[in-house]
Amino acid sequence: MYNARYIIPGIILFVVIFTVPFWINICTPEYSRPELVLPAEKDCIEPVEYMRAEHMRILNEWRDAALRDGKRVYIATDGRQWDINLQNTCMSCHTDKVAFCDTCHDTNSVTPYCWDCHIEPQTAPAAGGAKQ
Amino acid sequence: MAFSLMAALGIGILAWALAALGLEMFVGFILPLTAFLVFLGGMIWRVTTWARVPVPFSIATTAGQQKSLPWIKPSHIDSPSTKIGVAARMGLEVLLFRSLFRNTAAQTINDEGGPKLVYWSSKWLWVFSLLFHYCFLMVFIRHFRFFLEPVPFFITWAEDLDGLMQIGVPRLYMSGAILLVAALFLLLRRLRDPKLRYISLPADYFPLFLVIGVALSGIMMRYWFKTDIASVKELIMGLVTLSPSIPEGVRGSVGGMFYTHIALVSALLIYLPFSKLAHSAGLLFSPTRNMPTNTREVRHVNPWNPPKKYRTYAEYEDDFRDAMAEAGLPLEKEPAPGLHEETAQ
């Protein structure tokens, strides 16, 4: 082999860099899917599978409807009407941002920009008026 | 081209079908791990194969003045004579594709005197290649959110930068969109120009279709056919800890697009070391890029030459000294006095 003193370290570096996720995960505690703290009220505006996949799209459409079009009523697929309002509709059941939203978002590195405008609820809602 | 397209499509559809038939463990665990091992082993094989090939001549190509007489200004990067210069040229080639920047295009234009052939600088290939490679790198880095827990800060930074425009939710990642556009440009470039189409082989189209397939399936999963990323993370963390699990959210045809994506990426990994895509490592082995232009200072010896038998002038003179002395030729070393007198008589 020619130029072995450059090529062999290069190969070692290549293998180490590409296998880093394996080494890191062997050395750290086993990953388990985070458990969500679900609200007591089970009846969301749409079925749970739909909400799981499309909640972000609904929030985006609600933002446009409420703030750009002034439309404040959402008619769900089952015909019920909901007030388009993140803090008073969504968060009246999903009270705890940290336990509900952040659990999944953090582990999957999802950083929605809801809270660029909305004020983050700071504490657990047990104490009345925690929502600012 | 049709063959390459069918092959890439076939891989994607087959993966979806296998997952729907309940073989998620194969498509989601065995295939990607095998592909990864083939990729690692294949790249090492490829690189060691190249490393065993001798370079017979100093064939550094230059685009500047070689180091010469002290009053002639040398071009330190385009015609480097030092290792630092070579490293700079190689680094800039890897990061900025300088040789592609010199790409030219030939065109006939109609002048007053009839058609005329002109060559002009063509930067489109350079621009789109650069976009393609850097967006691919960004996409690659972003995916490590599925491989690491907790997600390192620089991945979050990369995501914030990539989604800076805050278009829609989930945020549009610009790198994904630009990657697709650039790959489509590279494909259309081959199809549009008859000369280029003529020299394009299945091996040119197949990687393009694979990359387009990977990008399309990824974009689909993110923005349209939503895949449960919590399940995806669970699956991938199982993959990198070698403890297979197929979470409910990606079981069967529900995760069809995900398995298509995984299978296309696996195909790309398997294909990479044995195809033109190995240029990623091959660039570093290009003698025209990695040899210093010091042909006037250092003699390059072909490593495959047999050891040379030299006969020095001293040895020559030793053999013919007496005859040369007799003929009155000048000598480096005079003959031994006794012999000299004998011949003189």
Side-chain angles (χ1 to χ4, degrees):
Chain A
M1 190 192 273
Y2 299 96
N3 297 316
R5 69 198 165 115
Y6 298 115
I7 291 165
I8 289 171
I11 290 175
I12 292 169
L13 192 69
F14 160 74
V15 172
V16 167
I17 287 178
F18 275 80
T19 52
V20 142
F22 292 92
W23 306 126
I24 290 179
N25 282 302
I26 285 166
C27 301
T28 51
E30 199 186 339
Y31 177 78
S32 58
R33 188 186 178 129
E35 292 292 326
L36 279 192
V37 179
L38 296 170
E41 176 62 60
K42 294 292 172 201
D43 189 25
C44 201
I45 58 167
E46 299 282 359
V48 64
E49 289 78 22
Y50 184 81
M51 289 310 294
R52 200 173 283 157
E54 301 290 350
H55 63 274
M56 65 299 265
R57 211 193 72 207
I58 289 181
L59 286 171
N60 195 40
E61 282 168 8
W62 278 24
R63 191 265 319 263
D64 290 355
L67 292 173
R68 299 183 185 169
D69 307 333
K71 188 170 158 278
R72 281 279 176 183
V73 182
Y74 174 75
I75 301 166
T77 37
D78 63 3
R80 284 183 297 173
Q81 292 195 351
W82 298 90
D83 192 18
I84 292 184
N85 193 319
L86 173 69
Q87 269 158 358
N88 295 336
T89 306
C90 304
M91 299 203 75
S92 66
C93 295
H94 303 287
T95 46
D96 196 342
K97 171 181 173 286
V98 175
F100 186 76
C101 308
D102 293 349
T103 318
C104 261
H105 287 169
D106 284 351
T107 183
N108 291 299
S109 185
V110 178
T111 45
Y113 49 91
C114 306
W115 313 105
D116 287 7
C117 304
H118 290 274
I119 297 164
E120 266 182 64
Q122 292 297 330
T123 50
K131 266 188 282 177
Q132 295 172 15
Chain B
M1 190 200 79
F3 173 75
S4 310
L5 180 60
M6 294 315 254
L9 268 179
I11 292 167
I13 293 167
L14 186 68
W16 192 310
L18 287 177
L21 290 171
L23 290 166
E24 299 99 331
M25 195 53 97
F26 172 73
V27 194
F29 188 77
I30 299 169
L31 178 66
L33 271 188
T34 315
F36 181 66
L37 289 176
V38 171
F39 165 71
L40 278 187
M43 284 312 274
I44 293 170
W45 167 79
R46 190 93 212 216
V47 163
T48 46
T49 311
W50 280 329
R52 280 202 293 270
V53 180
V55 182
F57 309 110
S58 182
I59 52 171
T61 48
T62 64
Q65 172 61 49
Q66 182 180 0
K67 187 172 178 236
S68 173
L69 298 167
W71 43 271
I72 298 174
K73 199 183 164 205
S75 174
H76 292 294
I77 290 173
D78 281 319
S79 191
S81 61
T82 59
K83 278 187 181 172
I84 294 167
V86 171
R89 178 172 69 176
M90 185 60 91
L92 289 170
E93 183 65 34
V94 169
L95 297 173
L96 297 173
F97 311 171
R98 287 177 87 230
S99 61
L100 210 53
F101 192 74
R102 304 195 190 101
N103 187 37
T104 54
Q107 197 187 21
T108 45
I109 53 162
N110 282 312
D111 205 15
E112 283 162 21
K116 200 166 137 189
L117 183 66
V118 289
Y119 295 91
W120 47 281
S121 166
S122 176
K123 304 280 187 243
W124 290 111
L125 180 59
W126 174 76
V127 167
F128 279 95
S129 296
L130 211 57
L131 284 174
F132 174 82
H133 284 85
Y134 274 103
C135 288
F136 211 133
L137 177 66
M138 188 61 139
V139 170
F140 181 77
I141 291 171
R142 276 201 283 100
H143 274 73
F144 278 85
R145 67 174 167 145
F146 296 119
F147 292 82
L148 300 168
E149 177 66 31
V151 180
F153 65 94
F154 60 88
I155 293 176
T156 317
W157 284 359
E159 287 171 337
D160 285 345
L161 181 69
D162 208 350
L164 191 72
M165 301 306 283
Q166 297 194 339
I167 298 168
V169 181
R171 273 181 302 179
L172 173 77
Y173 283 147
M174 290 177 278
S175 61
I178 299 171
L179 170 67
L180 185 62
V181 169
L184 285 171
F185 170 85
L186 296 176
L187 176 66
L188 289 176
R189 173 182 158 265
R190 287 192 178 276
L191 294 175
R192 204 179 66 94
D193 185 351
K195 298 188 291 300
L196 208 52
R197 196 163 65 212
Y198 183 72
I199 59 165
S200 295
L201 299 169
D204 295 314
Y205 291 117
F206 183 60
L208 277 174
F209 283 126
L210 274 184
V211 169
I212 291 170
V214 167
L216 261 183
S217 57
I219 288 170
M220 286 288 193
M221 252 193 308
R222 180 174 168 81
Y223 304 102
W224 287 287
F225 302 111
K226 300 283 164 57
T227 300
D228 182 12
I229 59 163
S231 300
V232 169
K233 175 134 193 182
E234 206 181 339
L235 187 146
I236 292 177
M237 291 301 277
L239 194 70
V240 289
T241 50
L242 306 180
S243 47
S245 73
I246 303 295
E248 210 177 323
V250 286
R251 241 174 244 169
S253 54
V254 180
M257 193 59 89
F258 170 68
Y259 292 110
T260 299
H261 190 68
I262 289 277
L264 287 169
V265 172
S266 301
L268 197 61
L269 279 176
I270 294 173
Y271 186 65
L272 206 143
F274 311 103
S275 63
K276 66 189 282 194
L277 301 179
H279 70 266
S280 41
L283 178 56
L284 302 172
F285 285 85
S286 303
T288 58
R289 300 288 100 194
N290 69 15
M291 297 183 95
T293 322
N294 55 2
T295 47
R296 294 176 206 219
E297 300 158 61
V298 181
R299 179 179 147 81
H300 181 90
V301 179
N302 181 356
W304 75 48
N305 279 348
K308 198 131 190 154
K309 283 194 195 114
Y310 293 103
R311 187 153 182 258
T312 57
Y313 177 73
E315 285 163 354
Y316 172 88
E317 207 183 83
D318 284 347
D319 283 359
F320 297 105
R321 182 164 296 110
D322 295 340
M324 287 168 81
E326 197 179 328
L329 292 172
L331 289 167
E332 302 250 305
K333 199 174 122 190
E334 290 302 317
L339 287 170
H340 182 74
E341 276 161 29
E342 207 177 292
T343 45
Q345 286 165 3

